[in-house]
C-alpha cells in the first residue's frame, strides 16, 4: 500500500509527484510512454515563464526533478480501477497497485479525421506528431489539417524541413493566436486552403499521394497533392479506462478546487480535467495543488 498512485507522467503528474514526495508521501508514477507526455512532441516551449526551451528538454528536467525526491516511475497502461473506500485498486494488465489516493493525469489524445484510408496509412504517410515524423518528409510536400495553435505551430516547424506545407482549414479564418499567424506568414513555403475539409486520403502504390478535400460551401471535391498528412483538429480526453461517475458529457474529469473528483480519494489534474485553458503551466498548477493537498491528508 502506497500513499499516492499517479496515472500519467505529463507536466501535471510529474509536478504532483514532486510536491507530494517533498511533503513526505510515498508515490509511484505510472505511464505507458516516455515521461513528459506531450512535451516530447513539442518542438519549442515559448510560453512557460522562465523556460524557453525544447519540449523534450523540459520533459526530462521535470522527470529528473520528480525522481530526486523519491518518487518511483513504472511503465504500464491502466485498464481499470476500483474505489474501495479507504483505498483504491488500479489494474495494469494482471498486475494491481493499491494506494490510499489516486491522481489521474492521463491528458488527451489527438482526434482522428475519420476519413477513408486514414487508419491504414497511419505511420505510413499520416502522422499526428510533426516533431516525431517531420524529418522523414525532408524535401517533400506535406499537408497540415487544422487552424488552431497546434496546427500552425506544427506547420511552422515543418516549413523548415519540407519543400512545401499546405494548411487545410474548415473555416475561412484561423483560430490560432495572432503571434503564430504573424510568424507563419513569414514562411514563403506555406500555402493556405480555407473552407476545405478532409474527405479521403489518396493512396497510390501503397503510399500517400494526396488529400482529397471537400469545399465547405459547395461540397465540390478537389485533391491536394501531398506525401504526408498531419491532422491537428482537436483533442479528446484519455478516460476510456474509467468506469466511475466522475466524467462530464465530453469525457473530461470533473474536479473541485483541490483537484478532487466526485469520488473521494480520487483526484485528477492537467488536460484530462474539465477546464478552460490547457497549457503546460496550467497542468503544472493542477499538479502542484493536488500533490500538496493529498500530502496534507496523509500527515
Amino acid at each position: 500500500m502506497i500513499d499516492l498512485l499517479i496515472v500519467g507522467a505529463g507536466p501535471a503528474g510529474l509536478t504532483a509527484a514532486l510536491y507530494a514526495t517533498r511533503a513526505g508521501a510515498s508515490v509511484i508514477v505510472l505511464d505507458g510512454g516516455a515521461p513528459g507526455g506531450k512535451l516530447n512532441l513539442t518542438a519549442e516551449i515559448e510560453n512557460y515563464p522562465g523556460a524557453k526551451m525544447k519540449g523534450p528538454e523540459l520533459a526530462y528536467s521535470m522527470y529528473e526533478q520528480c525522481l530526486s525526491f523519491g518518487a518511483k516511475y513504472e511503465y504500464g497502461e491502466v485498464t481499470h480501477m476500483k474505489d474501495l473506500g479507504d483505498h483504491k485498486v488500479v489494474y495494469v494488465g494482471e498486475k494491481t497497485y493499491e494506494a490510499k489516493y489516486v491522481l489521474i493525469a492521463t491528458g488527451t489524445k489527438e482526434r482522428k479525421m475519420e476519413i477513408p484510408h486514414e487508419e491504414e496509412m497511419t505511420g505510413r504517410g499520416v502522422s499526428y506528431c510533426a516533431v516525431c515524423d517531420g524529418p522523414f518528409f525532408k524535401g517533400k510536400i506535406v499537408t497540415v489539417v487544422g487552424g488552431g495553435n497546434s496546427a500552425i505551430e506544427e506547420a511552422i516547424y515543418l516549413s523548415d524541413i519540407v519543400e512545401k506545407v499546405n494548411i487545410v482549414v474548415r473555416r475561412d479564418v484561423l483560430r490560432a493566436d495572432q503571434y503564430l499567424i504573424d510568424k507563419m506568414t513569414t514562411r514563403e513555403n506555406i500555402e493556405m486552403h480555407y473552407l476545405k475539409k478532409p474527405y479521403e486520403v489518396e493512396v497510390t502504390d501503397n503510399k500517400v499521394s494526396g488529400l482529397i478535400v471537400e469545399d465547405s460551401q459547395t461540397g465540390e471535391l478537389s485533391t491536394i497533392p501531398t506525401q504526408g498528412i498531419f491532422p491537428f483538429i482537436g483533442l479528446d480526453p484519455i478516460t476510456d479506462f474509467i468506469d466511475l461517475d466522475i466524467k462530464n458529457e465530453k469525457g473530461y474529469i470533473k474536479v473541485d478546487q483541490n483537484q478532487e473528483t466526485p469520488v473521494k480519494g480520487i483526484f485528477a489534474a492537467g488536460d484530462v480535467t474539465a477546464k478552460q485553458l490547457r497549457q503546460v503551466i496550467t497542468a503544472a498548477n493542477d499538479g502542484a495543488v493536488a500533490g500538496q493537498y493529498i500530502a496534507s491528508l496523509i500527515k
Side-chain angles (χ1 to χ4, degrees):
M1 177 78 69
I2 60 169
D3 293 326
L4 171 62
L5 181 73
I6 297 174
V7 184
L14 294 177
T15 304
L18 171 65
Y19 273 73
T21 51
R22 285 182 75 244
S26 57
V27 178
I28 291 178
V29 182
L30 270 177
D31 200 295
K38 280 191 169 53
L39 285 176
N40 293 299
L41 311 180
T42 307
E44 297 286 342
I45 302 293
E46 297 181 319
N47 57 357
Y48 192 81
K52 186 174 182 180
M53 62 176 73
K54 296 186 183 301
E57 292 176 3
L58 183 57
Y60 187 71
S61 178
M62 284 185 170
Y63 170 68
E64 275 198 319
Q65 190 177 15
C66 161
L67 296 188
S68 70
F69 287 96
K72 295 181 180 179
Y73 188 91
E74 297 188 17
Y75 290 94
E77 293 279 356
V78 175
T79 54
H80 61 290
M81 61 177 62
K82 287 184 180 178
D83 169 34
L84 299 182
D86 62 346
H87 74 285
K88 322 299 172 188
V89 182
V90 175
Y91 297 81
V92 179
E94 295 182 357
K95 187 174 183 179
T96 60
Y97 293 83
E98 295 189 23
K100 296 174 185 175
Y101 302 98
V102 170
L103 172 70
I104 302 166
T106 44
T108 56
K109 58 187 174 183
E110 290 72 20
R111 192 172 296 155
K112 302 293 182 69
M113 297 181 291
E114 305 292 347
I115 60 175
H117 306 304
E118 176 184 14
E119 200 69 37
E120 68 190 76
M121 299 311 293
T122 296
R124 297 160 57 197
V126 176
S127 170
Y128 304 89
C129 176
V131 175
C132 310
D133 298 330
F136 292 117
F137 297 91
K138 186 175 181 179
K140 297 181 179 180
I141 299 173
V142 301
T143 299
V144 171
V145 180
N149 283 344
S150 294
I152 303 307
E153 284 173 352
E154 301 299 339
I156 293 169
Y157 172 78
L158 288 166
S159 69
D160 289 330
I161 301 172
V162 304
E163 177 187 335
K164 178 183 177 182
V165 181
N166 296 294
I167 301 181
V168 171
V169 186
R170 181 185 296 261
R171 302 165 60 193
D172 59 353
V173 294
L174 295 171
R175 293 179 289 106
D177 294 340
Q178 191 60 47
Y179 159 75
L180 288 171
I181 296 173
D182 293 342
K183 188 174 181 179
M184 179 195 70
T185 56
T186 66
R187 307 301 172 99
E188 296 181 355
N189 62 339
I190 294 180
E191 181 179 340
M192 302 300 305
H193 299 265
Y194 290 107
L195 294 171
K196 298 289 188 293
K197 51 189 177 183
Y199 184 83
E200 182 179 344
V201 176
E202 182 185 75
V203 181
T204 305
D205 296 330
N206 211 27
K207 295 180 180 179
V208 171
S209 58
L211 177 63
I212 302 172
V213 295
E214 179 183 358
D215 189 286
S216 299
Q217 294 178 323
T218 67
E220 181 182 355
L221 299 180
S222 58
T223 301
I224 300 173
T226 190
Q227 293 152 303
I229 300 171
F230 293 84
F232 295 98
I233 55 175
L235 301 164
D236 293 311
I238 302 174
T239 53
D240 294 344
F241 64 95
I242 301 172
D243 294 328
L244 304 168
D245 186 21
I246 59 175
K247 299 183 283 186
N248 67 13
E249 67 281 358
K250 293 183 178 180
Y252 289 96
I253 300 175
K254 298 177 285 187
V255 295
D256 63 15
Q257 70 273 16
N258 296 314
Q259 301 298 134
E260 190 166 17
T261 73
V263 174
K264 191 172 180 62
I266 295 182
F267 295 76
D271 289 2
V272 76
T273 62
K275 59 195 294 185
Q276 287 288 80
L277 183 63
R278 294 183 173 88
Q279 295 285 300
V280 179
I281 192 169
T282 60
N285 170 79
D286 293 349
V289 170
Q292 191 69 28
Y293 181 71
I294 293 168
S296 73
L297 298 176
I298 295 166
K299 289 183 175 180

